[in-house]
Amino acid sequence: MSALDSTAHFHALLQFRGRTAAWPAAAAAAAGLGRIIQAEEYLFQAQWTVLKSTDCSNATHSLLHRNLGLLFIAKKNYEEARYHLANDIYFASCAFGTEDIRTSGGYFHLANIFYDLKKLDLADTLYTKVSEIWDAYLNNHYQVLSQAHTQQMDLLGELFENDTGLDEAQEAEAIRILTSILKIRESTADKAPQKTIFVLKILVMLYYLMMNSSKAQEYGMRALNLAEEQQLDVHEQSTIRELLTLISTEDHPIT
């Protein structure tokens, strides 16, 4: 199966908001070539407006180029897609930093292009970068909760409403990106099991912070089973067991 998911691409296109472009609700259910044409019309109008404007933020430029990149991926015009995704990464880096989760989407879509073009070394490098960005972000939030648990602090329930620090759309994007990378990693798990386990552990943290302990347990057990099957070092297995122990002792509601 291709790493590129046309449905996901069009879903991402629908996220473009503001006065530069407006998607009718019916576009989400549209299918076939007509949807691509409609996307192209709206995004080119948005591009023209942004180019004429003198006060568009780097974040707006990033979002525009990302959606143009997705449009050209859907059209399989990878040269244009790479151009726009490179610009997305540049403007997102200016706005948020090169290691920010809001920049990681550009790396991810660029990695998908290289994967489809069979440039697997380049794709692997970018998938690793995306994974490391999400690991760093989620680990910061995870450490706060794990330390609180260790110290047996009495945290108020409302603090657990959104422990990821992400809104619903960002959480959905994180799940989509990380599970997509996991599928690719699992296809070569026999050659590089550590990379698969790394993504599994990130998903454990994500679902733990989302208060979905059953999903966190599921990915944690998959990581542990793979570590045992591949006879990885004892420290790696111990780290995974600690994650599972922490999850099992938490009384988070499942969302």
Side-chain angles (χ1 to χ4, degrees):
M1 179 181 292
S2 168
L4 301 178
D5 183 336
S6 295
T7 300
H9 291 162
F10 283 115
H11 176 73
L13 286 170
L14 293 177
Q15 295 176 357
F16 193 83
R17 294 292 186 268
R19 58 191 175 87
T20 57
W23 278 86
L33 184 59
R35 183 159 56 174
I36 295 177
I37 292 173
Q38 189 176 35
E40 199 165 25
E41 290 175 355
Y42 278 107
L43 289 173
F44 286 170
Q45 289 173 13
Q47 184 181 32
W48 176 250
T49 303
V50 168
L51 288 173
K52 290 193 301 180
S53 175
T54 58
D55 60 354
C56 280
S57 67
N58 286 324
T60 298
H61 280 282
S62 167
L63 185 58
L64 174 62
H65 282 291
R66 182 167 304 178
N67 282 288
L68 285 166
L70 292 172
L71 171 67
F72 284 110
I73 287 175
K75 296 177 69 173
K76 299 192 180 299
N77 185 339
Y78 293 145
E79 184 174 351
E80 280 294 318
R82 287 167 60 181
Y83 166 79
H84 286 292
L85 290 173
N87 277 285
D88 162 33
I89 292 168
Y90 169 77
F91 284 112
S93 297
C94 291
F96 312 116
T98 57
E99 307 299 312
D100 192 275
I101 57 172
R102 289 165 291 188
T103 306
S104 70
Y107 298 129
F108 172 70
H109 295 302
L110 192 57
N112 285 341
I113 291 175
F114 288 130
Y115 187 87
D116 259 26
L117 294 175
K118 309 302 180 185
K119 297 182 178 181
L120 300 184
D121 287 343
L122 291 172
D124 178 77
T125 298
L126 289 170
Y127 285 136
T128 297
K129 186 172 185 65
V130 173
S131 301
E132 289 173 344
I133 289 173
W134 277 102
D135 176 66
Y137 174 85
L138 292 170
N139 192 54
N140 286 336
H141 290 264
Y142 168 77
Q143 290 300 328
V144 171
L145 284 185
S146 62
Q147 289 171 15
H149 173 80
T150 301
Q151 297 168 9
Q152 296 183 338
M153 293 175 62
D154 183 20
L155 297 181
L156 296 177
E158 57 265 24
L159 293 180
F160 293 105
E161 289 182 0
N162 191 352
D163 295 322
T164 61
L166 306 170
D167 61 29
E168 187 175 345
Q170 289 172 319
E171 287 181 347
E173 181 184 31
I175 292 170
R176 182 175 62 82
I177 287 175
L178 292 169
T179 54
S180 294
I181 295 175
L182 177 61
K183 289 177 182 178
I184 292 168
R185 294 307 193 204
E186 286 182 324
S187 68
T188 57
D190 56 329
K191 298 178 181 177
Q194 294 89 346
K195 292 181 179 180
T196 303
I197 290 172
F198 182 50
V199 180
L200 284 167
K201 286 163 64 178
I202 299 170
L203 282 162
V204 171
M205 288 191 293
L206 175 61
Y207 278 110
Y208 171 71
L209 293 170
M210 289 175 63
M211 299 174 284
N212 190 334
S213 57
S214 65
K215 273 290 187 181
Q217 285 270 11
E218 175 192 330
Y219 283 111
M221 287 305 303
R222 286 169 64 178
L224 181 59
N225 290 338
L226 182 58
E228 291 175 342
E229 289 172 7
Q230 297 293 326
Q231 298 182 336
L232 300 187
D233 62 83
V234 176
H235 175 72
E236 181 69 80
Q237 295 183 36
S238 176
T239 300
I240 299 170
R241 287 195 178 93
E242 288 174 6
L243 274 171
L244 288 167
T245 299
L246 178 61
I247 295 165
S248 64
T249 55
E250 289 291 338
D251 188 26
H252 288 303
I254 299 175
T255 56

